[in-house]
Amino acid sequence: MGRLPTGAKLFLILSAALLPLALIAVFATLQTTRLADSEARARLRVTANESARAIAIELIGDMTALRVAVNALGSDPADAPSCARAQGVFAQQSSAGTRFVIADRSGRVLCGESLPDPVALRSNDMPVAAAILPGRGLVLAISGPRGDTSARAYFPRPFLEKIGSPSSHALTFSSALVLGEDMLVLENIPDEQPLDRLETMRTDLGVAGLALRTSVRSAPITSSLVIAMLLPLLMWLAAASIAWFVVDHLLIRPLRQLRGSVAAFQPGEEIDPGSVRTLPAQEIRELGETFQAISRTVALHEAGLAEGLVRQTKLTREVHHRVKNNLQVISSLINFHARSAKSADATDAYSSIQRRVDALAVVHRNHFAEMEENRGLNLRTMIGELAANIRATAPDRSHGMGITLDVGPFLVNQDVAVAIAFLVTETIELAMTCDPTAQIRLVVKPCDDPKRALLRVVSRALVESDALRDAATRYGRVMEGLSRQLRSPLHHDPLAGAYEIAFAITGSD
């Protein structure tokens, strides 16, 4: 559920909440249909019992009268009173077409009249045999005790239909006499349709294996019933869908639209007020107006910060410019005093101090030089300018000195740049002290660590010697302090005449 959209969660929750109500309504409709079916079965039971009882009483009574006459005529074929009594019983039904015949073994008629067609009877191991004439009627037969006489009675379909009709004529039903596979339809349901639902009951008559099958209509499956059963489910689906639609269009989509506006917000911009005013929900519009006010405040703050940054950048440039000018003034003062020095050693001392001041001035001159965004000082430019200044201010005896540069395009911060500038100056001064005409090679190359680079100063003057040991006493403490500032040890290779140290960089140009 946690991965589903809110609209899908809402639809599922509403569906789960409303589905029991829809199922209860469907169950109630089905229960109403079952009650109607139960009522139809009760009416069928009453109707079937009443019709079967009436037909059974009539058939049993008539066959009892015939049995008495058959027994009497079997003892005395000329027993007219017995024949008259049988004729009296059937005389009441003669208008309906009911008739009988009593004959002896040879087929001679002893009483009654001949039946229209001979039929094959089913005895079913019962005293009374029966045969159904489809569409016409029912024939029952009985034999005397010794088999000398037998009787047959014919009951036409209209007669059986009349006596089998229930007392309540308001009930629509169908009935038929059933004997094995044969059936005599007594009454049909008018306008019966193929899709009608019927409740059927079979009732034994107790005569010759006959049974009465009675059917009545149960509650039909009509369009109204189908609609009544489907309507709760349709209402359940409609309620869940409408609720989802309303919440999705009034809440979820506006929130998604507002989220898109907030996600596209950039500091310094302001959320479009037109998109906020079109939101349909009042609460979400108020939330959007709050975000709009926040974005306006952020834009004002961004503008203030940008203006302050511009002022700070200008102030920083001014400070560095003034520091550079002050260093230039100091350098000029040192140069002025050096020209008025009375000894060569004093002049050399002034020149050495001036070179260190120039190193610091080079760093300040390159810091923030023509750059709106300070990414660091370019070592190649800085060391190149520093080497040029050292050559220009070198003493007369060092005019033969050469400095070769192999510096990569590395960028460093100001603290590292100051330490590197002084370290390069001190190392070159050390080489000049040992050999005024020394050839010096400055190399800055990358290390294994991509955030560090290696400074290497190589010269023949830096090879282990007595002069180097004497000069190292003067310059060693300064170089060691600079290495601590660079947070890396300074290595000296006495055989190759090289000093090298690793330092941190901010990138490459």
Side-chain angles (χ1 to χ4, degrees), residues 402-422:
I403 301 176
T404 305
L405 302 181
D406 184 9
V407 181
F410 298 107
L411 300 176
V412 296
N413 58 36
Q414 185 179 7
D415 293 335
V416 174
V418 170
I420 290 293
F422 280 127

Side-chain angles (χ1 to χ4, degrees), residues 348-403:
D348 292 341
Y350 279 121
S351 299
S352 178
I353 295 173
Q354 184 177 10
R355 282 192 289 272
R356 286 158 176 79
V357 172
D358 287 341
L360 187 58
V362 167
V363 174
H364 279 278
R365 191 161 49 248
N366 285 272
H367 191 57
F368 287 117
E370 302 300 330
M371 295 180 64
E372 293 298 330
E373 180 183 359
N374 181 25
R375 297 184 298 153
L377 281 83
N378 192 315
L379 278 182
R380 176 180 291 174
T381 303
M382 186 191 74
I383 293 178
E385 186 176 350
L386 182 62
N389 288 338
I390 293 175
R391 287 289 307 275
T393 59
D396 294 338
R397 67 177 184 275
S398 298
H399 286 322
M401 181 188 66
I403 301 176

